């Protein structure tokens, strides 16, 4: 595993805000400064525990805060709209030279909103958390051609990032390598 601690300073972070002046206007405005302290742990391994099993995964923790906002000073100290926790785990297994398959799980916590009036992120226009599962099977037809079929977001988990994420998506592919 590899560990990456970090601190990031953002200047002019653009976000939709309603002005605090008597004539209220909602528009895209700069949040003057925000900081993000975080840590990420990542792992990548081949032939883990058994021959043919490859694993790739990561976990990221972010703690973002608004440190300066001239347009909405009452927002200072509130969270910025990024998820606090994200994780992903992908496993692929090579059965033999022809067959392989993969399974992936992606997770994100809710995106906090600096506006305390926003209480439900699980709607169109919001940014919700999610857990998605993806599967794929590959068959190598010959030295050049590989056929694949898979499903992203198996089970059609509903989630939003200002718009709805794709529901269960079935895909097929024929790939030629030269």
């Amino acid at each position: 595993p590899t560990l990456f601690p970090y601190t990031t300073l953002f200047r002019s972070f653009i976000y939709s805000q309603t002005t605090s002046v008597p004539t209220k206007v909602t528009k895209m405005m700069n949040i003057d400064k925000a900081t993000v302290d975080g840590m990420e742990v990542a792992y990548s391994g081949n032939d883990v525990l058994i021959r043919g099993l490859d694993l790739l995964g990561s976990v990221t923790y972010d703690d973002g805060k608004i440190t300066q906002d001239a347009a909405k000073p009452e927002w200072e100290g509130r969270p910025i709209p990024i998820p606090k926790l994200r994780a992903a785990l992908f496993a692929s297994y090579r059965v033999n030279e022809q067959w392989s398959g993969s399974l992936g799980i992606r997770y994100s916590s809710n995106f906090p909103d600096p506006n305390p009036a926003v209480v439900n992120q699980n709607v169109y226009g919001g940014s919700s958390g999610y857990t998605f599962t993806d599967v794929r099977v590959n068959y190598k037809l010959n030295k050049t051609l590989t056929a694949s079929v898979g499903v992203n977001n198996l089970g059609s988990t509903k989630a939003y990032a200002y718009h709805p994420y794709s529901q269960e998506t079935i895909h097929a592919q024929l790939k030629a390598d030269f």
Side-chain angles (χ1 to χ4, degrees):
T2 307
L3 180 66
F4 304 99
Y6 54 86
T7 297
T8 305
L9 173 65
F10 293 98
R11 295 184 189 277
S12 297
F13 180 79
I14 298 174
Y15 193 69
S16 176
Q17 300 182 73
T18 303
T19 58
S20 298
V21 294
T23 304
K24 297 194 183 285
V25 176
T26 300
K27 62 181 181 173
M28 299 304 283
M29 296 188 294
N30 288 338
I31 292 176
D32 301 312
K33 291 182 186 174
T35 59
V36 177
D37 294 313
M39 186 175 302
E40 181 171 29
V41 177
Y43 174 80
S44 177
N46 296 324
D47 295 324
V48 178
L49 301 175
I50 59 173
R51 184 183 170 119
L53 179 62
D54 299 339
L55 296 177
L56 176 66
S58 67
V59 176
T60 305
Y61 172 78
D62 288 319
D63 185 22
K65 298 267 188 255
I66 296 169
T67 54
Q68 183 181 351
D69 189 356
K72 301 272 298 179
E74 64 271 21
W75 281 19
E76 292 174 12
R78 292 188 183 162
I80 62 173
I82 60 173
K84 282 201 174 284
L85 187 62
R86 288 171 291 169
L89 178 63
F90 297 94
S92 63
Y93 181 65
R94 296 176 307 284
V95 177
N96 55 37
E97 290 296 317
Q98 285 80 36
W99 288 98
S100 65
S102 61
L103 171 69
I105 299 173
R106 299 174 283 144
Y107 169 80
S108 175
S109 63
N110 281 345
F111 290 53
D113 196 297
N115 184 349
V118 176
V119 294
N120 184 6
Q121 293 286 55
N122 299 315
V123 295
Y124 190 89
S127 295
S128 62
Y130 58 81
T131 301
F132 294 145
T133 303
D134 307 322
V135 295
R136 183 178 176 107
V137 175
N138 307 301
Y139 180 73
K140 192 163 182 82
L141 298 163
N142 57 40
K143 183 177 154 187
T144 306
L145 295 174
T146 303
S148 304
V149 64
V151 180
N152 289 347
N153 192 5
L154 186 65
S156 290
T157 299
K158 288 188 179 183
Y160 301 86
Y162 301 108
H163 56 81
Y165 276 106
S166 298
Q167 297 294 296
E168 188 170 84
T169 306
I170 299 169
H171 54 88
Q173 174 182 340
L174 182 61
K175 181 175 87 170
D177 291 315
F178 297 98

